[in-house]
């Protein structure tokens, strides 16, 4: 796996590069600002670009803007945006086209190398990755409480994993369940929450997130994007 | 000194029922004067008619001057003078005590007149010289007259021998000597009066001169005439009025007329200005007072400069610092003073107004109160604006400081700890020793907690999403994870940073309180920008009974809202929910999307 890292904090960038290198990932480019990393990607596209959310010049949402540019210029390159804060709107905007190959994680996740690598791998495979903090926040929301109460504890766990962007196989692995059991739980969740079943994993993530963000039940139609590359 | 004051109740009544008093007094004066010189009408009607006019104008002017400040004694002198002038012509009857009454009244008339004019316009005699002069005049003229009567018979003065007379004749030589002495003394007194009046005139202000000028001329003419007449004819006598009295009557006639004209002009000017001033808004603006003054003095280009004692310079009617042009050339610089005599303003007007200086001064004095109010209002407004601006700046500086601290935390401590987190992760991956792994696990746990705490702290100091995406997005972030149903009725617009931040903290704090204490299931958050008011309202359906505790978060928000000139209210009756309302005056409108 080859990654490029863009972060204006040299300390964090170096630490992350070191960690990934030790885990067998090739860090092929590093930069402190968006334009430089774009140049590197143009020279040699990595599998995944890791972008800091707040970078020069405005230190607001450069990571997101750069991610969108990379998605349009280099559709084959996966993008992982790391952010100090969990912002649901940024996450949804980033994953919004439903094409997959994008992820939104808190910077804190670097402490768990396994988890980070798992995320990178899933992004490289064209899947969506959503930080557990965002999903937990959505699940905690009172207005969904009634609908969520209809789920069993196991079903809620499955829902959370779906929202974080895991496939049925991934969920089975994480929750130590048989694949068949996961499928049953997923079907049951969709029925109980009156959600239309989606065959496409990435669309499923967005549908679940949309359901969690809405006041329950009403799913905004998603724009049909091109199929994942 | 005897004071010919009119009795108080009489003057008060006359002032209260002005027109009735004027009419009554006028009619009575005319009637009595006609009667007093009845025999003269068939022989010399012209001077007789002039006498009626002299008495009438004296009495009416006296009554008109009643409510002029400090003119009490002058107006008494005029009224009494009119009465005495009428009585002077009783001699035409040539019967009974008419001759004695007539000469007594005639001599007193002159003293009374001198007394009244000397007391004009302050109502007081100025110095010992004037007091001596008046004393001498009384001794020489009325007292001398009484002595002369005592030393003579009526025919000595050309009266009919049949009239009542208390004196008896003495030697002709002695009598002549006394008469000449008194005539000479009378001349001296008249000259002294002339000097006193001239001195007065020199010292008088422009306004007083306009009144005093004609009066002084008339006085001098009349006095001189009286002194000269005195050399040939002692007193009014006989049924025919001597033509020598006609110029004297005309001169006398001019005196009250001069007073009356000045008084009427001032009255009209005051009435006009009062009418203009009463139409002013409250509190009056300097510009409005300027317009009134322009209309009052008839100079559309007149400029007003208010003196600002606090700031040490003048401002023009628009409140901008300005230097009043110096007097000279075609410009007058007229000072206006407060009731306490402190400098208040300068009116710069065309120098042709010098001719109407008295009216201009009346106008300025009349507008002083309005100007003082305008100035006070302007000063208070300026102070309030300054205080409000300072407070707003303080709030803004505080908010900017919070943004800076959040960025410093994010770019500094948070990145450092995150880098440390990566290193610890790496160390844990690479270590094989069980004890080391356990120690590193512990360290990671601590670091995870520290990072979470720091994130919460930084977000509390200033949520980055607020500056990035605006109020609605930031509030959505807050409400996403709340265990309570929140309706966000918030516009997508971007507002001024101060407003956004204030609204954000207000709503967050209110929501936190609701979650902690209210036991509510539903909250409604409304943010609106009306014409000039930014309104924030948070309403829950909880148990109510919330109070603002000193030093609590809600109290701090109230202070911040009030520092921006806004209002902050908390209404929380028991068992019927809580409503928090903050309204901040704002004229900026919404910001462009940025």
């Amino acid at each position: 796996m080859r990654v490029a890292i863009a972060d204006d904090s040299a300390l964090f960038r170096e630490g992350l590069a070191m960690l990934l290198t030790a885990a067998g990932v090739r860090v092929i480019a590093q930069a402190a600002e968006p334009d430089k990393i774009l140049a590197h990607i143009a020279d040699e596209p990595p599998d995944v670009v890791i972008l800091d959310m707040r970078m020069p010049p405005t230190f607001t949402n450069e990571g997101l803007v750069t991610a969108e540019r990379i998605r349009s210029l280099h559709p084959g390159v996966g993008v992982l945006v790391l952010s100090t804060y969990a912002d649901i709107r940024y996450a949804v905007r980033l994953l919004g086209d439903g094409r997959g190959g994008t992820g939104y994680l808190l910077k804190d996740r670097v402490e768990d190398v396994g988890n980070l690598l798992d995320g990178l791998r899933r992004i490289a495979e064209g899947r969506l990755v959503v930080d557990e903090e965002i999903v937990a926040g959505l699940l905690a929301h009172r207005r969904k409480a009634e609908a969520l109460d209809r789920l069993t504890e196991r079903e809620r766990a499955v829902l959370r994993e779906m929202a974080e962007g895991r496939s049925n196989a991934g969920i089975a692995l994480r929750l130590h369940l048989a694949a068949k059991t996961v499928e049953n739980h997923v079907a049951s969740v969709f029925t109980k929450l009156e959600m239309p079943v989606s065959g496409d994993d990435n669309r499923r993530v967005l549908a679940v997130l949309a359901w969690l963000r809405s006041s329950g039940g009403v799913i905004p139609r998603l724009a049909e994007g091109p199929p994942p590359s | 000194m005897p004071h010919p004051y009119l009795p108080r109740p009489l003057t008060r009544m006359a002032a209260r029922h002005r027109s009735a008093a004027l009419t009554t007094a006028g009619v009575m004066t005319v009637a009595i004067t006609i009667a007093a010189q009845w025999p003269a009408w068939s022989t010399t009607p012209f001077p007789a008619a002039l006498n009626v006019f002299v008495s009438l104008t004296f009495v009416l002017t006296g009554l008109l001057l009643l409510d002029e400040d400090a003119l009490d004694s002058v107006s008494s002198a005029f009224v009494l003078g009119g009465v005495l002038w009428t009585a002077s012509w009783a001699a035409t009857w040539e019967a009974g005590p008419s001759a004695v009454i007539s000469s007594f009244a005639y001599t007193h008339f002159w003293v009374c007149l001198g007394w009244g004019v000397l007391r004009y316009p302050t109502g007081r005699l100025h110095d010992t010289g004037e007091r001596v002069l008046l004393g001498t005049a009384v001794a020489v003229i009325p007292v001398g007259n009484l002595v002369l009567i005592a030393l003579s018979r009526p025919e000595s003065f050309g009266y009919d021998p049949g009239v009542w007379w208390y004196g008896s004749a003495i030697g002709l030589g002695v009598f002549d000597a006394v008469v000449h002495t008194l005539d000479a003394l009378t001349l001296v007194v008249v000259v002294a009066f002339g000097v006193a009046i001239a001195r007065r005139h020199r010292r008088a202000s422009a306004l007083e001169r306009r009144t005093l000028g004609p009066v002084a001329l008339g006085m001098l003419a009349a006095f001189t005439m009286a002194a000269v007449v005195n050399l040939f004819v002692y007193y009014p006598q006989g049924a025919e009025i001597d033509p020598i009295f006609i110029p004297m009557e005309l001169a006398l006639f001019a005196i009250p007329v001069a007073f009356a004209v000045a008084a009427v002009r001032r009255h009209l000017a005051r009435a006009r200005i009062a009418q203009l001033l009463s139409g002013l808004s409250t509190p009056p603006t300097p510009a409005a007072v300027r317009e009134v003054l322009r209309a009052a003095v008839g100079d559309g280009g007149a400029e007003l400069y208010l003196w600002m004692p606090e700031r040490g310079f003048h401002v023009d009617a628009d409140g901008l610092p300005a230097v009043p042009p110096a007097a000279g050339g075609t410009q007058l610089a007229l000072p206006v003073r407060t009731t306490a005599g402190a400098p208040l303003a300068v009116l710069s007007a065309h120098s042709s107004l010098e001719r109407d200086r008295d009216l201009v001064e009346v106008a300025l004095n009349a507008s002083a109160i309005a100007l003082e109010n305008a100035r006070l209002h302007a000063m208070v407004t300026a102070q309030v604006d300054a205080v409000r601006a300072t407070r707003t700046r303080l709030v803004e500086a505080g908010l900017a400081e919070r943004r800076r601290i959040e960025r410093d935390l994010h770019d500094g401590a948070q990145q450092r700890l995150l880098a440390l987190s990566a290193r610890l992760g790496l160390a844990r991956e690479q270590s094989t020793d069980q004890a080391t792994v356990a120690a590193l696990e512990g360290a990671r746990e601590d670091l995870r907690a520290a990072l979470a705490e720091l994130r919460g702290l930084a977000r509390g100091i200033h949520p980055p999403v607020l500056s990035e995406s605006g109020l609605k997005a930031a509030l959505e972030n807050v409400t996403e994870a709340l265990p309570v149903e929140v309706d966000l009725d918030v516009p997508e617009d971007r507002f001024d940073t101060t407003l956004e931040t204030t609204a954000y903290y207000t709503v967050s704090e209110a929501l936190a309180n609701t979650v902690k204490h209210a036991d509510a299931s539903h909250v409604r958050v409304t943010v609106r920008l009306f014409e000039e008011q930014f309104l924030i309202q948070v309403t829950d359906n909880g148990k109510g009974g919330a109070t603002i505790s000193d030093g609590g978060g809600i109290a701090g928000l109230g202070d911040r809202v009030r520092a921006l000139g806004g209002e902050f209210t908390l209404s929380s009756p028991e068992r019927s929910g809580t409503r928090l309302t903050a309204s901040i005056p704002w004229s900026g409108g919404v910001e462009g999307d940025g």
Side-chain angles (χ1 to χ4, degrees):
Chain A
M1 166 115 64
R2 295 162 310 137
V3 302
I5 305 174
D7 192 315
D8 57 306
S9 164
L11 201 61
F12 179 82
R13 201 173 59 231
E14 299 291 348
L16 180 60
M18 217 158 57
L19 182 73
L20 291 172
T21 308
V25 174
R26 280 183 54 212
V27 179
I28 57 170
Q30 288 189 43
E33 45 196 88
D35 289 349
K36 294 215 168 69
I37 206 70
L38 282 167
H40 283 300
I41 295 168
D43 287 347
E44 187 186 357
D47 298 314
V48 180
V49 185
I50 300 175
L51 299 169
D52 180 23
M53 178 62 89
R54 282 162 86 170
M55 282 189 288
T58 68
F59 297 95
T60 54
N61 59 354
E62 273 74 11
L64 190 56
V65 174
T66 313
E68 281 162 352
R69 287 177 65 186
I70 293 169
R71 299 291 288 154
S72 63
L73 293 170
H74 313 281
V77 176
V79 178
L80 169 61
V81 175
L82 292 180
S83 173
T84 309
Y85 303 101
D87 188 323
I88 173 76
R89 292 165 319 107
Y90 285 171
V92 168
R93 185 170 143 189
L94 181 66
L95 316 174
D97 63 5
R99 286 190 329 192
T102 53
Y104 181 94
L105 288 175
L106 275 183
K107 279 182 153 187
D108 303 37
R109 305 297 166 229
V110 299
E111 52 124 40
D112 186 342
V113 187
N115 204 349
L116 185 63
L117 288 176
D118 174 54
L120 284 171
R121 234 185 329 264
R122 281 157 54 208
I123 291 169
E125 288 165 9
R127 307 188 56 81
L128 296 178
V129 172
V130 182
D131 195 276
E132 64 192 59
E133 171 127 347
I134 286 177
V135 177
L138 290 175
L139 281 166
H141 203 289
R142 168 94 170 232
R143 68 178 169 230
K144 260 82 73 179
E146 219 176 295
L148 291 173
D149 278 347
R150 292 199 290 269
L151 304 183
T152 65
E153 194 145 336
R154 199 33 74 75
E155 285 166 346
R156 268 201 295 277
V158 168
L159 177 69
R160 186 169 56 239
E161 297 296 335
M162 278 197 287
E164 285 175 25
R166 288 192 175 78
S167 60
N168 285 2
I171 297 172
L173 212 60
R174 287 262 299 183
L175 299 181
H176 311 293
L177 295 171
K180 197 83 194 125
T181 317
V182 172
E183 269 168 45
N184 285 340
H185 283 315
V186 168
S188 157
V189 166
F190 275 79
T191 310
K192 284 185 180 174
L193 298 185
E194 298 168 9
M195 285 168 62
V197 182
S198 171
D200 176 76
D201 277 351
N202 289 340
R203 297 210 162 275
R204 187 175 80 175
V205 176
L206 294 173
V208 171
L209 286 177
W211 184 89
L212 284 174
R213 291 188 80 205
S214 72
S215 48
V218 187
I219 305 296
R221 269 187 52 79
L222 289 162
E224 288 290 328
S229 48
Chain B
M1 254 0 293
H3 281 215
Y5 274 122
L6 294 176
R8 275 261 161 233
L10 196 67
T11 59
R12 267 209 293 273
M13 202 181 70
R16 200 169 310 135
H17 310 287
R18 171 180 285 277
S19 47
L22 287 178
T23 314
T24 313
V27 170
M28 277 172 62
T29 306
V30 170
I32 294 170
T33 314
I34 289 173
Q37 44 185 350
W38 187 255
W41 289 102
S42 50
T43 53
T44 45
F46 181 61
L50 275 182
N51 281 333
V52 173
F53 275 111
V54 170
S55 290
L56 181 65
T57 48
F58 265 74
V59 169
L60 292 188
T61 304
L63 291 176
L64 267 177
L65 293 178
L66 262 182
D67 59 352
E68 293 267 338
D69 300 334
L71 287 181
D72 260 4
S73 45
V74 182
S75 79
S76 316
F78 273 132
V79 175
L80 280 172
V83 172
L84 289 169
W85 189 253
T86 299
S88 305
W89 301 96
T92 53
W93 285 84
E94 299 187 294
S98 63
V100 174
I101 289 172
S102 174
S103 66
F104 181 86
Y106 183 75
T107 51
H108 274 86
F109 167 81
W110 291 106
V111 174
C112 180
L113 196 58
W115 179 88
V117 169
L118 275 187
R119 280 174 178 262
Y120 178 81
T122 56
R124 289 179 298 104
L125 294 178
H126 282 202
D127 51 31
T128 318
E130 290 185 350
R131 276 188 278 277
V132 169
L133 172 61
L134 204 54
T136 313
V138 171
V140 170
I141 302 166
V143 176
N145 159 254
L146 294 177
V147 170
L148 275 182
I149 291 177
L151 304 179
S152 63
R153 293 301 302 150
E155 46 269 48
S156 327
F157 297 103
Y159 290 119
D160 192 273
V163 297
W164 178 84
W165 198 257
Y166 63 81
S168 46
I170 55 161
L172 199 62
V174 179
F175 179 73
D176 274 350
V178 172
V179 167
H180 289 318
T181 310
L182 284 177
D183 281 355
L185 283 175
T186 304
L187 273 178
V188 170
V189 166
V190 167
V191 170
F193 255 103
V195 170
I197 289 169
R199 204 176 51 159
R200 279 290 181 86
H201 195 262
R202 265 205 317 280
R203 290 185 192 165
S205 71
L207 167 63
E208 289 163 344
R209 260 182 224 184
R210 287 183 52 85
T211 311
L212 201 60
V215 172
L217 276 177
M219 291 287 301
L220 285 177
F223 276 159
T224 312
M225 219 95 62
V228 172
V229 168
N230 195 34
L231 301 177
F232 310 100
V233 183
Y234 291 107
Y235 313 108
Q237 50 189 272
E240 291 182 27
I241 298 173
D242 199 311
I244 201 164
F245 282 107
I246 291 176
M248 189 195 295
E249 288 166 337
L250 288 172
L252 282 176
F253 187 51
I255 300 167
V257 167
F259 266 101
V261 165
V264 166
R265 286 187 63 192
R266 281 199 303 277
H267 269 298
L268 290 176
R270 272 205 203 110
R272 176 161 168 62
I273 293 156
Q275 188 190 1
L276 289 167
L277 286 172
S278 69
L280 284 181
S281 60
T282 356
T285 61
V289 179
R290 179 187 62 185
E291 290 315 306
V292 166
L293 283 171
R294 283 178 174 179
V297 304
D299 176 4
E303 275 302 339
L304 192 62
Y305 299 93
L306 270 179
W307 171 246
M308 303 304 253
E310 316 251 312
R311 302 155 78 180
F313 52 75
H314 285 88
V315 297
D316 62 16
D318 303 320
L320 300 171
V323 179
T330 59
Q331 284 298 307
L332 280 180
L334 303 158
V336 192
R337 298 193 165 275
T338 65
T339 40
L344 172 59
V346 173
L347 183 75
S348 169
H350 199 267
S351 58
S352 62
L353 285 175
E354 186 69 65
R355 280 198 322 264
D356 295 314
R357 185 75 181 249
D358 55 339
L359 293 189
V360 175
E361 287 194 21
V362 166
L364 289 178
N365 292 338
S367 64
I369 296 270
L371 270 179
E372 224 171 324
N373 279 344
R375 183 174 72 174
L376 274 176
H377 184 68
M379 281 190 324
V380 169
T381 308
Q383 281 169 350
V384 168
D385 286 351
V387 167
R388 185 166 294 162
T390 308
R391 280 164 43 170
T392 305
R393 271 201 302 279
L394 278 174
V395 170
E396 283 169 354
L399 296 174
E401 188 65 6
R402 294 178 83 125
R403 274 199 300 281
R404 199 184 57 73
I405 292 172
E406 189 277 334
R407 177 169 293 184
D408 287 353
L409 270 179
H410 175 272
D411 295 348
Q414 279 175 302
Q415 300 310 312
R416 239 170 237 286
L417 289 178
L418 287 166
L420 175 61
S421 188
R423 281 169 193 275
L424 276 178
L426 179 62
R428 192 195 160 284
E429 289 299 309
Q430 292 172 338
S431 73
T432 48
D433 174 43
Q434 212 44 47
T436 311
V437 169
L440 286 172
E441 279 293 349
R444 276 173 60 187
E445 272 311 314
D446 288 349
L447 188 54
R448 207 174 289 155
L451 275 167
E453 236 171 78
L454 194 55
R455 183 171 27 241
L457 178 66
R459 181 180 300 191
I461 288 171
H462 179 82
V465 57
L466 188 58
S467 7
E468 289 159 28
S469 314
L471 181 60
K472 181 161 194 186
L475 288 178
E476 275 173 355
N477 260 11
V478 170
T479 54
E480 287 282 9
L482 279 186
V484 61
E485 184 79 39
V486 183
D487 266 347
L488 277 185
D489 180 7
V490 181
E492 298 274 359
D493 308 305
R494 294 304 304 259
F495 303 102
D496 173 274
T497 313
T498 306
L499 284 187
E500 281 186 348
T501 317
T502 305
Y504 175 83
Y505 287 127
T506 305
V507 173
S508 305
E509 190 72 35
L511 289 173
N513 270 0
T514 296
V515 170
K516 252 188 285 188
H517 310 294
D519 203 9
S521 63
H522 190 96
V523 187
R524 182 166 183 80
V525 174
T526 310
V527 173
R528 282 271 175 283
L529 182 60
F530 292 112
E531 301 252 313
E532 304 235 312
Q533 289 286 323
F534 186 73
L535 181 83
I536 306 156
Q537 195 162 65
V538 182
T539 312
D540 72 34
N541 62 351
K543 63 184 185 199
T547 53
I548 301 179
S549 57
D550 277 350
I554 295 277
L557 288 174
D559 288 344
R560 190 178 298 170
V561 168
R562 278 186 287 271
L564 293 171
E567 285 180 29
F568 187 86
T569 54
L570 181 76
S571 143
S572 186
E574 286 290 344
R575 285 185 302 285
S576 31
T578 299
R579 166 170 295 186
L580 184 151
T581 309
S583 118
I584 301 167
W586 201 264
S587 47
V590 297
E591 312 276 313
D593 271 341

